[in-house]
Amino acid sequence: QVQLQESGPGLVKPSQTLSLTCIVSGDSISSSSYYWSWIRQPAGKGLEWIGRIYSSGNANHNPSLKSRVTISLDTSKNQFSLKLNSVTAADTAVYYCARGPWPGPFDDWGQGTRGTVSS
Amino acid sequence: QSVLTQPPSVSGAPGQRVTISCTGSSPNIGAGYGVHWYLQLPGSAPRLLIYDNNNRPSGVPERFSGSKSGTSASLAITGLQAEDEADYYCQAYDSSLSGYVFGTGTKVTVL
């Protein structure tokens, strides 16, 4: 059974970069037929898809985040990462990593990690 | 920015049937992509409830069912139970975004 676990600093200053990692067990991100995604949820609000990456390294992101998003794979550690730059208070949210086939659902989710943007 | 629209809340007494609508558009639900539904309890990650319009993952009770027609989809809960009180989200792939969109979310309250 696949498990996903997010990690990263909980507090980031405005204009800096939020960096998060999702450690995967039970599946190989380098050979999986699934996509690996990041999803966020501001407190009291709904879910927003941030972006995804495939085992080939091909990635794409939600256009609403413009070009602030970078998603990458670290196959040696079986993990994938999110970098969100030029953050503002609006980026404060719980960040989830998730796995799913295309164009299917998100089958498996991490427990989520809170990212707070504050000076 | 949610592209799929859901009612903010629905409620029902124990044992009743409630439905949650999810309205999309041509690039997502109307394009033929499957609609998926998630349940989220407070402080927890979402959990897949229905996939590809009307399929239940193993372990999901039969009283949860889904349907889709045109650019809309629905989730029905029959025999409502106290444990069903949660937030529910629909989700689909959107070809105009080359990505995924979620519904605005619906809070189900058991009276």
Side-chain angles (χ1 to χ4, degrees), chain A residues 72-118:
Chain A
S72 59
L73 295 175
D74 185 339
T75 57
S76 65
K77 295 181 180 179
N78 209 42
Q79 62 188 38
F80 63 106
S81 299
L82 168 70
K83 290 188 187 300
L84 180 65
N85 58 38
S86 304
V87 295
T88 69
D91 295 310
T92 294
V94 174
Y95 287 76
Y96 297 99
C97 57
R99 182 189 81 154
W102 182 90
F106 299 107
D107 293 328
D108 301 283
W109 296 66
Q111 65 184 27
T113 188
R114 186 171 304 277
T116 302
V117 179
S118 174

Side-chain angles (χ1 to χ4, degrees), chain A:
Chain A
Q1 180 176 345
V2 66
Q3 291 188 318
L4 300 93
Q5 177 68 57
E6 305 90 346
S7 66
L11 182 63
V12 180
K13 289 181 167 50
S15 80
Q16 293 189 341
T17 297
L18 175 67
S19 296
L20 300 174
T21 295
C22 181
I23 301 170
V24 179
S25 59
D27 192 7
S28 169
I29 63 170
S30 61
S31 59
S32 176
S33 60
Y34 287 82
Y35 280 86
W36 306 93
S37 284
W38 287 97
I39 296 158
R40 70 180 181 179
Q41 185 174 36
K45 297 189 177 181
L47 300 162
E48 180 183 32
W49 176 74
I50 298 171
R52 67 178 181 174
I53 191 164
Y54 192 60
S55 55
S56 62
N58 286 342
N60 68 303
H61 61 269
N62 192 323
S64 68
L65 295 168
K66 297 182 172 62
S67 298
R68 298 195 295 129
V69 174
T70 302
I71 299 175
S72 59
L73 295 175
D74 185 339
T75 57
S76 65
K77 295 181 180 179
N78 209 42
Q79 62 188 38
F80 63 106
S81 299
L82 168 70
K83 290 188 187 300
L84 180 65
N85 58 38
S86 304
V87 295
T88 69
D91 295 310
T92 294
V94 174
Y95 287 76
Y96 297 99
C97 57
R99 182 189 81 154
W102 182 90
F106 299 107
D107 293 328
D108 301 283
W109 296 66
Q111 65 184 27
T113 188
R114 186 171 304 277
T116 302
V117 179
S118 174
S119 55

Side-chain angles (χ1 to χ4, degrees), chain B residues 67-90:
Chain B
S67 63
K68 172 188 160 180
S69 178
T71 57
S72 296
S74 291
L75 173 72
I77 310 174
T78 57
L80 196 63
Q81 299 182 6
E83 66 202 50
D84 300 332
E85 196 162 278
D87 293 325
Y88 292 78
Y89 294 90
C90 58

Side-chain angles (χ1 to χ4, degrees), chain B residues 47-103:
Chain B
R47 176 168 68 96
L48 182 63
L49 200 60
I50 296 287
Y51 67 95
D52 291 341
N53 307 324
N54 55 13
N55 296 282
R56 287 184 307 276
S58 61
V60 173
E62 291 183 2
R63 55 200 186 78
F64 291 95
S65 62
S67 63
K68 172 188 160 180
S69 178
T71 57
S72 296
S74 291
L75 173 72
I77 310 174
T78 57
L80 196 63
Q81 299 182 6
E83 66 202 50
D84 300 332
E85 196 162 278
D87 293 325
Y88 292 78
Y89 294 90
C90 58
Q91 177 252 316
Y93 183 79
D94 188 291
S95 59
S96 66
L97 299 177
S98 294
Y100 306 93
V101 289
F102 285 95

